Amino acid sequence: MFVIMGASGQVGGAAVAALKRHGKALRAVSRDPARLAGLGVEAVRADAGDTADLTNALRGAEAAFVMLVPPPQASDVLAEARELARSVAAAVRAAAVPHVVALSSVGAHLAEGNGIVQALHDFEVALAGVAPSLVFLRPGDFLENWGAMLPVAQTARVLPSVKVPLDLRGEAVSALDVGRAAAELLCDVQTGTRVVNLAGPTQYSAIDAAEILSRLLGGTVTAVPSPRAETMAGFAAAGLGADYARHLADLYEAINAGRLDFPAGSGELRRGTTTLEVVLRRLLGMG
């Protein structure tokens, strides 16, 4: 039995789909099991902050995919995320899961100066030693994050970017490739702790994204920088709390400063196959 946290999301959903194709018995975990209807797997309710429920959900697992979502409305996001991390770690230990794949992020090797990713650094610290076989999966920025800017690109023909300079290329990967990589790693048990860095097939810049959108939308789309104040206002409009928005803005400043690259000699580097054009086509409903 494989247990998947976050199965109703893009990453967890892709992991479930990949494991189903390999005939694995699955238990999907969500705060709202109704969202798991139609997956065709066992569905249970559990929350990262409820150690007892999560322990029960993990009990009997031969492998588990675990993740942590920093609470977007918390007044102190990092403090509350640390509590969630300790809860997940305690549940894994109590359930005696022998093999664990944990979703982390590029930049999680840094204890500070990495914005909201500090929550995932703390997650890795909490999970240290929880299972005989442990993998920290550290993807780059998600290509799907461009989706938030698509309405503006379609109506105003501009693509606001928090990544500057606009020609700055960085590692990014599709959430679907992350889920597929998680599935592969769940089937690959090796004693000890591993770090697997995951990037896309190539690096992309805001200008690259605008050029792809220009082709897809049939007209010029221009990348433009998004100042911090404008970015923070956008985060607030999206429903994020002030503390989360601040840490998220700090993350992009760290990316722009080059602090969130995959460090040399830190783990294995894999690359997904899904291109930015494929992601944008899917987000635009073009297949």
Side-chain angles (χ1 to χ4, degrees):
M1 172 71 71
F2 285 35
V3 176
I4 310 295
M5 289 183 68
S8 60
Q10 290 190 88
V11 174
V16 167
L19 290 166
K20 283 181 66 178
R21 287 194 293 271
H22 287 86
K24 301 297 183 181
L26 298 174
R27 179 182 299 148
V29 180
S30 175
R31 286 176 293 182
D32 182 8
R35 297 179 62 190
L36 303 175
L39 284 183
V41 301
E42 179 187 354
V44 299
R45 185 198 179 283
D47 184 271
D50 190 326
T51 308
D53 276 357
L54 188 56
T55 299
N56 289 332
L58 292 168
R59 206 174 297 281
E62 62 181 283
F65 175 65
V66 300
M67 61 190 302
L68 181 147
V69 179
Q73 295 295 336
S75 59
D76 189 336
V77 173
L78 296 181
E80 291 198 23
R82 279 191 292 272
E83 289 299 318
L84 295 175
R86 284 191 281 265
S87 175
V88 174
V92 171
R93 286 193 176 93
V97 182
H99 176 51
V100 173
V101 176
L103 181 61
S104 187
S105 170
V106 62
H109 65 291
L110 299 173
E112 59 183 11
N114 50 358
I116 196 67
V117 171
Q118 186 178 334
L120 296 175
H121 169 85
D122 296 340
F123 190 37
E124 290 193 10
V125 171
L127 289 172
V130 295
S133 176
L134 174 63
V135 182
F136 293 121
L137 177 57
R138 295 178 179 171
D141 191 21
F142 284 5
L143 291 172
E144 285 79 1
N145 288 340
W146 286 112
M149 299 295 106
L150 291 185
V152 178
Q154 290 174 293
T155 57
R157 298 291 168 162
V158 296
L159 182 68
S161 174
V162 294
K163 297 178 182 179
V164 291
L166 297 173
D167 61 353
L168 175 68
R169 287 192 167 99
E171 299 289 7
V173 62
S174 170
L176 301 183
D177 281 341
V178 179
R180 293 168 189 142
E184 292 175 5
L185 292 166
L186 283 167
C187 299
D188 182 17
V189 181
Q190 297 183 28
T191 301
T193 298
R194 291 183 287 158
V195 171
V196 175
N197 302 303
L198 184 64
T202 190
Q203 295 184 339
Y204 296 101
S205 69
I207 289 176
D208 294 328
E211 289 176 348
I212 293 170
L213 283 172
S214 296
R215 294 198 303 273
L216 295 179
L217 296 176
T220 301
V221 175
T222 304
V224 296
S226 178
R228 184 180 176 103
E230 183 178 302
T231 298
M232 293 285 285
F235 291 155
L240 299 179
D243 194 53
Y244 192 105
R246 177 174 63 84
H247 286 297
L248 193 55
D250 290 344
L251 165 64
Y252 285 109
E253 289 187 357
I255 291 173
N256 294 340
R259 294 198 298 273
L260 260 72
D261 295 330
F262 294 118
S266 174
E268 173 189 350
L269 176 63
R270 298 187 182 186
R271 289 194 175 274
T273 59
T274 306
T275 65
L276 178 55
E277 180 164 349
V278 168
V279 168
L280 292 174
R281 281 183 176 275
R282 173 166 50 85
L283 294 175
L284 289 167
M286 296 178 174

